[in-house]
Amino acid sequence: MIRRPGRLALAGVLVAAGALVVAGALEDTLTYYRTPAEILSDPDAAGERVRIGGDVVPGSLRRDGETVVFRLAEAGHEIVVHQRGAPPDTFREGEGAVVEGRLSPDGVFRADHVEVRHGNEYGPTGAESPDAR
C-alpha cells in the first residue's frame, strides 16, 4: 500500500511534464488573429507572427516586381501589406482577405500567406438569394 501513492505521484509528475512539453511545442506553431487596429496600436507587435483579416482597399492593389502590395482595412483602420509571390486567383480588391506574417519595424505587414475570405452564402451567379424575396 505504501508503494501505490508513490506510483500515483510519479504518474502525475510524468503526465504534467508531458503536458508542458506538448504545450511548449504548440506555442511555436500558434498564429494569433488580430485586427489592423490592434496590430498597429501594439508597440510590441513588430516581429510577432499574426494573422490579420479585413477587406482589400479598392485602388490599393499593385505589383512591385515579385511583390504584391495592397492595403487591408477593417473598421476604419488600414495596414499596408507586402506579399512575395502571387496571391490566390480569387484575390480581388474590395473582397475580404486574411494575411499571415509579421509586422516589420517600418509599419508594413510582411505576409507570407494570403487567403481569400468568403461569405457564408454561395450560389450560382445571378441566382436570387432567399432573403431578396
Side-chain angles (χ1 to χ4, degrees):
M1 282 203 150
I2 296 172
R3 288 184 174 177
R4 186 170 238 184
R7 286 183 183 172
L8 287 175
L10 179 61
V13 167
L14 291 175
V15 168
L20 285 173
V21 168
V22 169
L26 289 176
E27 182 74 26
D28 293 336
T29 63
L30 293 176
T31 304
Y32 296 100
Y33 180 84
R34 308 208 26 213
T35 66
E38 289 172 334
I39 194 93
L40 290 171
S41 66
D42 182 0
D44 297 326
E48 178 184 342
R49 184 162 182 80
V50 294
R51 186 175 290 155
I52 301 174
D55 293 327
V56 179
V57 176
S60 71
L61 181 62
R62 65 182 170 81
R63 296 199 185 272
D64 186 9
E66 291 185 17
T67 303
V68 176
V69 179
F70 58 94
R71 292 189 323 269
L72 200 61
E74 184 176 86
H77 295 90
E78 293 184 7
I79 191 165
V80 175
V81 178
H82 288 197
Q83 190 238 343
R84 270 184 87 83
D89 291 338
T90 55
F91 184 80
R92 305 271 186 275
E93 291 181 338
E95 299 291 326
V98 175
V99 296
E100 191 173 317
R102 298 177 194 283
L103 182 68
S104 62
D106 63 0
V108 173
F109 191 83
R110 310 282 177 186
D112 53 39
H113 185 72
V114 175
E115 295 177 9
V116 176
R117 191 169 57 187
H118 297 285
N120 292 334
E121 295 189 26
Y122 293 94
T125 305
E128 183 179 340
S129 74
D131 297 331
R133 290 184 206 156

